């Protein structure tokens, strides 16, 4: 049976002034797929990732997430994003970084706490629940960022340059984490790290001036 | 020592007035500045233009002039306030403007990644501001707020020109009555004690806020 399409990007255009960044970009990602998006700097990979996450508007085209147009809803809970520099909330503890966004999205506090503890345990940072982000290593910060993004059980989890702030050991760990996560969701990774992309992805897409090449 | 014993009751009365003006100004102007900073952050051009004029006037003219305008000037517009109300209105308007500028600096120093994280995590604009931006901005602005609070303690001496019996006015009267400069030293000690207490408490607060980097 064919797997369900989770992300469907159809003919997306985006320009900044006279500079066309995304020209007729289309992309499909199916459930449980790990897709890595590669290409030279400034080609529009991050812009596409940001547009999928509603951090950028698009000039034309459609982005469907689980058959719902992303830019037509106020907030899309079915998507999670792990930022390149994590963007954790420095004044909240590890567990509150996970719990607060979930509660804001309507999750019961007890349920949020249980889910956060389960996720932090799965990501092996359960011993750090009372710490603050500045007390974590780069790898631990990324795990926390992943846990936070997974609190609402997204159908698509996006990673922006997941290896850029990590050492070799942490990169190996994150490979395993991403592969494990893909059992429950689709994964989209924007990266420059070719080896990482080849090792972790089920599909690798290269982006150039003419669009996307599988 | 005899002089000190004689002056203590009146100096204490004056100190009470000084503390009253200080505390009332602080508890009104700081929360008010936070509220106005929330509105300022909505980036409405008309509202922010009005805020801009207000802040320019309040920061660009002496507090003494503002106080005199509120007490002696407003009656010409059929608004008459008693001395203490005029003092509080002038102080609150002035310090709210300064605190708003401090808040603005703090808010602008927060990394835009924090706003983006909030957006992808489904925070509303108000939730982003109240739960994420403001607590971080508060920490950033605390040293500047401390300076402003110390300035406020000392600025309370200005109310003497409206004839309010605060500690400086009582000290000056004592200097005239007893023909000695000693009461000024007592007044100076009182201000030093008040500023030292504020400084100590706010430093403690700063240390408590250092729980994260």
């Amino acid at each position: 049976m064919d797997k369900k399409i989770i992300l469907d990007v159809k003919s997306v255009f985006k320009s900044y002034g006279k500079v066309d960044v995304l020209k007729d970009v289309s992309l499909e990602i199916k459930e449980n797929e790990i897709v890595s998006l590669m290409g030279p700097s400034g080609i529009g990979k991050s812009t596409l990732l940001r547009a999928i996450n509603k951090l950028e508007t698009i000039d034309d085209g459609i982005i469907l997430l689980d058959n719902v147009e992303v830019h037509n809803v106020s907030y899309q809970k079915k998507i999670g994003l792990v930022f390149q520099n994590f963007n954790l909330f420095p004044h909240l503890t590890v567990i509150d970084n996970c719990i607060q966004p979930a509660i804001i999205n309507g999750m019961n506090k007890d349920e949020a706490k249980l889910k956060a503890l389960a996720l932090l345990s799965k990501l092996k940072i359960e011993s750090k629940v009372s710490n603050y982000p500045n007390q974590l290593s780069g790898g631990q910060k990324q795990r926390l960022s992943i846990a936070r993004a997974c609190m609402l059980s997204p159908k698509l989890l996006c990673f922006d340059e997941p290896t850029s702030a990590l050492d070799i050991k942490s990169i190996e760990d994150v490979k395993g984490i991403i592969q494990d996560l893909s059992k429950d969701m689709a994964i989209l990774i924007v990266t420059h790290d070719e080896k990482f992309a080849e090792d972790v992805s089920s599909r690798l897409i290269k982006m150039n001036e003419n669009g996307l090449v599988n | 020592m005899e002089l000190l014993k004689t002056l203590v009751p009146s100096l204490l009365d004056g100190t009470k007035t000084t503390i009253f003006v200080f505390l009332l100004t602080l508890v009104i102007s700081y929360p008010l500045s936070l509220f106005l900073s929330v509105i300022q952050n909505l980036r409405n051009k008309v509202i922010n233009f009005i805020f801009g004029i207000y802040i320019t006037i309040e920061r660009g003219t002496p507090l003494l002039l503002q106080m005199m305008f509120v007490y002696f000037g407003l009656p010409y517009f059929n608004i008459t306030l008693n001395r203490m109300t005029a003092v509080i209105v002038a102080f609150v308007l002035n310090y709210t403007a300064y605190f708003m500028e401090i808040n603005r600096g703090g808010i602008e120093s927060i990394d835009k990644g924090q706003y983006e994280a909030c957006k992808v995590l489904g925070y509303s604009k108000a939730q982003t501001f109240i739960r994420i931006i403001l607590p971080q901005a508060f920490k950033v602005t605390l040293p500047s707020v401390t300076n402003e609070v110390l300035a406020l303690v000392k600025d309370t001496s200005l109310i003497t020109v409206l004839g309010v019996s605060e500690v400086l006015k009582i000290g000056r009267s004592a200097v005239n009555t007893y023909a000695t400069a000693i009461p000024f030293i007592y007044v100076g000690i009182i201000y030093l004690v008040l500023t030292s207490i504020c400084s100590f408490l706010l430093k403690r607060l700063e240390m408590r806020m250092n729980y994260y980097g």
Side-chain angles (χ1 to χ4, degrees):
Chain A
M1 202 176 93
D2 267 0
K3 286 194 170 175
K4 190 179 169 190
I5 294 170
I6 297 296
L7 177 71
D8 195 358
V9 176
K10 293 179 177 175
S11 296
V12 165
F13 288 81
K14 170 76 183 175
S15 60
Y16 295 112
K18 288 179 180 173
V19 181
D20 294 325
V21 182
L22 300 176
K23 283 184 290 184
D24 197 16
V25 171
S26 297
L27 167 71
E28 278 182 6
I29 299 181
K30 293 177 179 169
E31 56 186 349
N32 309 116
E33 251 195 318
I34 304 175
V35 175
S36 284
L37 189 58
M38 298 191 67
S41 294
I43 203 74
K45 307 182 299 292
S46 289
T47 305
L48 179 60
L49 191 77
R50 289 172 63 80
I52 291 166
N53 282 277
K54 279 190 70 173
L55 293 173
E56 297 281 352
T57 55
I58 52 174
D59 300 334
D60 202 4
I62 298 173
I63 300 173
L64 297 168
L65 187 72
D66 205 20
N67 285 323
V68 177
E69 199 171 340
V70 168
H71 288 260
N72 274 357
V73 290
S74 60
Y75 173 57
Q76 179 55 270
K77 291 181 187 180
K78 293 175 181 174
I79 191 164
L81 172 63
V82 178
F83 290 89
Q84 183 175 359
N85 52 357
F86 316 126
N87 289 340
L88 298 166
F89 300 137
H91 61 299
L92 300 181
T93 58
V94 164
I95 193 151
D96 285 339
N97 260 277
C98 296
I99 290 177
Q100 194 186 79
I103 292 172
I104 278 194
N105 283 286
M107 195 183 279
N108 169 291
K109 191 178 176 183
D110 293 334
E111 188 191 346
K113 192 171 180 182
L114 281 176
K115 179 143 193 186
L117 287 171
L119 275 166
L120 294 169
S121 174
K122 189 177 171 183
L123 293 163
K124 299 190 178 80
I125 46 168
E126 72 276 22
S127 62
K128 304 283 182 186
V129 287
S130 303
N131 288 47
Y132 288 89
N134 69 317
Q135 298 168 315
L136 304 180
S137 68
Q140 288 168 335
K141 282 180 188 169
Q142 187 173 61
R143 286 157 189 254
L144 172 56
S145 188
I146 293 169
R148 186 176 72 171
C150 289
M151 279 297 289
L152 295 172
S153 307
K155 298 214 166 184
L156 174 71
L157 184 59
C158 302
F159 287 82
D160 190 8
E161 300 287 359
T163 60
S164 64
L166 302 184
D167 57 31
I168 294 167
K169 166 78 173 66
S170 300
I171 291 173
E172 285 307 313
D173 290 345
V174 84
K175 276 182 201 169
I177 290 168
I178 289 175
Q179 274 159 349
D180 193 35
L181 289 170
S182 72
K183 291 172 193 160
D184 302 314
M185 61 192 79
I187 310 272
L188 172 61
I189 304 165
V190 164
T191 182
H192 278 102
D193 188 338
E194 203 160 340
K195 183 176 181 311
F196 174 79
E198 280 170 2
D199 287 352
V200 80
S201 314
S202 49
R203 189 154 56 99
L204 206 122
I205 297 174
K206 293 205 173 174
M207 200 169 181
N208 59 31
E209 293 80 2
N210 302 316
L212 302 176
V213 184
N214 273 295
Chain B
M1 249 355 225
E2 272 306 306
L3 178 64
L4 180 61
K5 274 184 190 167
T6 314
L7 287 179
V8 161
S10 53
L11 282 175
L12 279 180
D13 271 350
T15 307
K16 277 183 203 163
T17 307
T18 298
I19 293 172
F20 175 76
V21 171
F22 164 74
L23 282 180
L24 201 57
T25 302
L26 192 61
V27 297
I28 297 174
S29 61
Y30 190 65
L32 181 63
S33 76
L34 290 177
F35 175 70
L36 295 179
S37 295
V38 174
I39 295 171
Q40 197 176 27
N41 206 48
L42 296 175
R43 301 188 192 287
N44 179 297
K45 280 184 181 172
V46 177
I47 292 173
N48 283 4
F49 178 71
I50 295 166
F51 281 161
I53 293 172
Y54 158 62
I55 289 167
T56 303
I57 292 171
E58 291 294 334
R59 293 204 315 160
T61 59
L63 175 56
L64 188 58
L65 172 68
Q66 293 162 22
M67 225 165 48
M68 289 175 130
F69 180 81
V70 172
Y71 186 61
F72 297 115
L74 285 186
Y76 292 104
F77 300 93
N78 292 324
I79 303 167
T80 304
L81 303 173
N82 66 41
R83 280 175 216 276
M84 191 50 88
T85 310
V87 163
I88 297 300
V89 167
F91 267 71
V92 165
L93 285 174
N94 185 273
Y95 272 86
T96 300
Y98 276 97
F99 284 135
M100 276 180 77
E101 276 300 274
I102 291 173
N103 296 342
R104 187 178 61 80
I107 290 161
E108 284 177 1
S109 74
I110 305 301
D111 189 84
K112 88 172 175 88
Q114 294 288 299
Y115 291 91
E116 292 190 342
C118 287
K119 194 169 179 193
V120 298
L121 290 166
Y123 284 64
S124 67
K125 276 188 176 174
Q127 286 167 335
T128 300
F129 194 74
I130 292 164
R131 289 173 177 264
I132 304 299
I133 305 303
L134 217 48
Q136 293 182 54
F138 178 70
K139 184 189 172 188
V140 174
T141 58
L142 206 45
S144 306
V145 170
T146 302
N147 284 340
E148 215 50 48
V149 168
L150 299 185
L152 173 58
V153 173
K154 292 179 282 180
D155 276 355
T156 55
S157 62
L158 293 173
I159 66 177
T160 191
V161 298
L162 295 193
V164 178
S165 288
E166 48 68 63
V167 70
L168 180 61
K169 183 167 186 280
I170 286 160
R172 204 177 54 186
S173 301
V175 167
N176 290 336
T177 307
Y178 299 101
T180 167
I182 299 294
F184 280 148
I185 295 171
Y186 295 152
V187 170
I189 291 170
I190 289 169
Y191 279 115
L192 268 176
V193 169
L194 292 178
T195 52
S196 300
I197 292 170
C198 290
S199 191
F200 172 75
L201 293 175
L202 288 162
K203 278 270 179 272
R204 288 274 305 252
L205 187 58
E206 267 184 57
M207 280 161 67
R208 282 189 65 179
M209 293 297 292
N210 275 340
Y211 64 90
Y212 72 90

